[in-house]
Amino acid sequence: MSGEKLQRNTHQKTAILDYMKAHRDSHIRAEDIISDLQSQGETVGKATVYRFLKALESEGQIRRYTISDKIPACYQYVGDHPECREHCHLMCTRCGRLIHVENPIIKAFTKQTMDEDGFLIDESKTVFYGLCRECRETEAAVGKDEDL
Amino acid sequence: MSGEKLQRNTHQKTAILDYMKAHRDSHIRAEDIISDLQSQGETVGKATVYRFLKALESEGQIRRYTISDKIPACYQYVGDHPECREHCHLMCTRCGRLIHVENPIIKAFTKQTMDEDGFLIDESKTVFYGLCRECRETEAAVGKDEDL
DNA sequence: TTCGCTGCAAAAGTTTTGCATGCAG
DNA sequence: CTGCATGCAAAACTTTTGCAGCGAA
């Protein structure tokens, strides 16, 4: 639970984690990390990226998910501190933005679900999908469906 | 919006959709559908399965997601009728069981999120992850961590 | 009969692995 | 120094596509 998977602190790991943190409000693919870091002059191979991404995911620092058909897997930084996982997230299916929400209503729902269904919700894993304000406004203005 | 993508009704499509409905309480991979249907004597190729799965997903009848590192993509039937999407789901990360929940608390949360953040939640896409009663009991009894 | 659907196999992508070398501790 | 981590390239998978033939309407 308090796992230290980073047995050695390499500049590759630092670069990847920094990248994830810097892009915490958007969805990024493994490929993005690789090409962006490499064009920044960082030496990093895809094997390292995939390996470290997987390690971070099992530590709970990042989350892996699918937004659309076109993008099989993307990753997002969700926080390394326990309190960062005490809330749930809203993800915009249009722009990929991730919004953190801490809301007592969800706590009430979590409790009720446990009482009625015996189901223990892990809030940190919960993501509400929908459209953020900006995307709704854009969509309303354009009146179109262009997906990403 | 009222799409009829099934322009022709073939036994392959029927078999795939029936399979999805029959297994609506668990997570299944494309590969499972292919091998299970084929061992039932159904002639169905993987191209057809992937094509139809994608069509069903864009229609909203099934949902695609990732549970664990080991399983990149799994699919689940979530209903073809509009009212079926008026609720959200609890998914057990241990056994993959999907539980349907209709709860006024969530409606309140949806409304509040819209008022405060301008974020329009699509409830039908929402999944709460956690442990179902059975898996919690099993886990408590075994006191172990074996994942799926 | 028509033309959308299917299966096959090849192609395109994505992720993992083996192994020699590099570098953090 | 020691041995975990990295990069490369090949392997293993997953998903998509082209195309000829099938079969539902």
Side-chain angles (χ1 to χ4, degrees):
Chain A
M1 293 301 171
S2 56
E4 276 308 317
K5 301 252 174 164
L6 295 77
Q7 306 203 358
R8 282 190 189 178
N9 216 348
T10 64
H11 67 93
Q12 285 91 342
K13 287 179 175 177
T14 306
I16 295 169
L17 191 50
D18 284 350
Y19 186 93
M20 294 304 295
K21 288 181 180 176
H23 297 256
R24 63 171 66 194
D25 290 328
S26 61
H27 50 274
I28 55 191
R29 293 163 299 164
E31 183 199 291
D32 297 329
I33 303 175
I34 298 165
S35 56
D36 285 2
L37 288 184
Q38 286 182 345
S39 62
Q40 281 172 32
E42 193 69 47
T43 62
V44 57
K46 59 181 174 182
T48 302
V49 170
Y50 278 109
R51 272 188 288 236
F52 189 49
L53 243 28
K54 187 162 243 179
L56 286 176
E57 188 192 358
S58 61
E59 268 181 54
Q61 293 205 51
I62 66 172
R63 178 181 297 145
R64 175 192 170 144
Y65 52 82
T66 302
I67 292 190
S68 78
D69 297 7
K70 294 285 118 190
I71 305 175
C74 35
Y75 300 84
Q76 192 149 27
Y77 181 77
V78 290
D80 49 344
H81 301 299
E83 72 267 20
C84 289
R85 303 188 207 149
E86 283 289 308
H87 56 243
C88 55
H89 299 88
L90 309 177
M91 173 161 303
C92 180
T93 52
R94 171 68 51 111
C95 68
R97 186 193 315 258
L98 191 78
I99 300 168
H100 303 249
V101 190
E102 194 152 359
N103 192 310
I105 294 183
I106 295 303
K107 302 257 185 273
F109 176 70
T110 298
K111 182 174 188 310
Q112 186 174 320
T113 302
M114 174 56 106
D115 293 345
E116 293 185 3
D117 302 287
F119 191 99
L120 174 63
I121 290 176
D122 178 350
E123 268 182 55
S124 72
K125 291 204 176 74
T126 299
V127 181
F128 288 91
Y129 295 94
L131 289 175
C132 70
R133 192 200 310 272
E134 287 72 16
C135 286
R136 279 195 305 113
E137 286 166 357
T138 304
E139 193 170 71
V142 182
K144 286 289 294 172
D145 226 328
E146 296 174 48
D147 238 318
L148 13 147
Chain B
M1 295 303 174
S2 56
E4 276 307 319
K5 302 251 174 167
L6 296 75
Q7 306 204 357
R8 280 189 191 177
N9 215 349
T10 64
H11 68 94
Q12 285 92 341
K13 287 179 176 179
T14 306
I16 294 169
L17 191 50
D18 284 350
Y19 185 93
M20 294 304 296
K21 288 180 179 175
H23 298 255
R24 62 172 65 195
D25 289 328
S26 60
H27 51 272
I28 54 192
R29 292 164 299 164
E31 183 198 291
D32 297 329
I33 303 175
I34 298 166
S35 56
D36 285 2
L37 288 185
Q38 286 183 345
S39 62
Q40 281 172 31
E42 192 69 46
T43 62
V44 57
K46 60 180 171 180
T48 302
V49 170
Y50 279 109
R51 273 187 287 236
F52 189 49
L53 242 29
K54 187 163 246 185
L56 286 176
E57 188 193 359
S58 60
E59 268 181 55
Q61 293 205 52
I62 66 172
R63 178 181 298 145
R64 176 193 171 144
Y65 52 81
T66 303
I67 292 188
S68 78
D69 297 7
K70 294 283 120 193
I71 305 174
C74 36
Y75 299 84
Q76 191 148 30
Y77 181 78
V78 289
D80 50 345
H81 301 298
E83 71 268 19
C84 290
R85 303 188 207 146
E86 285 289 307
H87 56 244
C88 55
H89 299 88
L90 308 177
M91 172 161 302
C92 180
T93 52
R94 171 68 50 115
C95 67
R97 187 193 314 260
L98 191 77
I99 301 169
H100 302 249
V101 190
E102 194 152 359
N103 193 308
I105 294 183
I106 295 303
K107 302 258 184 272
F109 176 69
T110 298
K111 183 174 185 315
Q112 185 175 321
T113 302
M114 175 55 105
D115 293 345
E116 293 185 4
D117 302 286
F119 191 99
L120 174 64
I121 289 175
D122 179 351
E123 268 182 52
S124 72
K125 292 205 174 75
T126 299
V127 183
F128 288 89
Y129 296 93
L131 290 175
C132 70
R133 192 198 313 270
E134 288 72 15
C135 287
R136 279 194 305 115
E137 285 165 358
T138 304
E139 193 169 71
V142 182
K144 286 288 295 171
D145 225 329
E146 295 174 46
D147 238 321
L148 16 144

